[in-house]
Amino acid sequence: EKAGADPKNTALGSLVYANCPGDGSAREQAASCQRVLGGVANIAQSYATKRYRSNLINWGIVPFVLEEGTDFAPGVEDYLYIPGVRSALLEGKPSVTATALLSGKTYSLLLKDITPEERDILLEGSLINHYAKTAK
């Protein structure tokens, strides 16, 4: 309500922030577990591997990247409001703006290097949904 969002058109989910996530043997498990626990996005300075980033997309998790040099520091109990993600994906926009609701700080989140097929997967919610739609 504070952000002026329409509850009928707003998703609520968790996200993970890390400087450079996705290294190690749990890359597939990490993305799937995050999704099962309500994950809808990751925010990173960069991703350690293309495979981890692809796994996020395949599970319908948006892999945002921060602009270089961004000091990303929302409060522990803060919420990020990220309007227009779906329309940004539909229109091929390069970024969206996130607002930390308690502090009012804004952050530019890049939709970096997302291919048209990856956009379709994210818009469908997962690779499984994407395959189901294209099979019809």
Side-chain angles (χ1 to χ4, degrees), residues 2 9 12 21 29 33-34 66-68 74 76 84 98 101 130:
K2 181 178 178 179
N9 294 318
L12 182 64
Q29 184 108 8
C33 288
Q34 184 181 342
L66 293 169
E67 289 183 351
E68 191 172 329
V76 173
L101 295 181
H130 177 68

Side-chain angles (χ1 to χ4, degrees), residues 3 8-9 13 27 34 40 44-45 50 52 62 65 68 74 78 91 97 99-101 116 123 129 134-135:
K8 293 179 184 174
N9 294 318
R27 289 185 302 260
Q34 184 181 342
V40 295
Q45 300 290 338
K50 185 174 180 349
Y52 176 69
V62 182
V65 177
E68 191 172 329
D78 209 342
E91 298 168 19
T97 300
T99 302
L101 295 181
L123 288 165
N129 294 347
T134 57

Side-chain angles (χ1 to χ4, degrees), residues 13 24 37 42 85 109 111-112 124:
L37 294 172
N42 270 23
V85 175
L109 304 179
L111 294 162
K112 190 174 180 181
E124 293 300 326

Side-chain angles (χ1 to χ4, degrees), residues 46-105:
S46 64
Y47 290 92
T49 63
K50 185 174 180 349
R51 172 58 45 212
Y52 176 69
R53 184 184 165 283
S54 294
N55 287 337
L56 292 174
I57 292 168
N58 291 344
W59 281 98
I61 299 171
V62 182
F64 290 118
V65 177
L66 293 169
E67 289 183 351
E68 191 172 329
T70 299
D71 179 23
F72 185 73
V76 173
E77 294 184 10
D78 209 342
Y79 290 86
L80 284 182
Y81 177 54
I82 312 171
V85 175
R86 183 168 189 75
S87 62
L89 288 168
L90 284 167
E91 298 168 19
K93 290 184 180 178
S95 66
V96 295
T97 300
T99 302
L101 295 181
L102 293 178
S103 69
K105 290 182 183 178

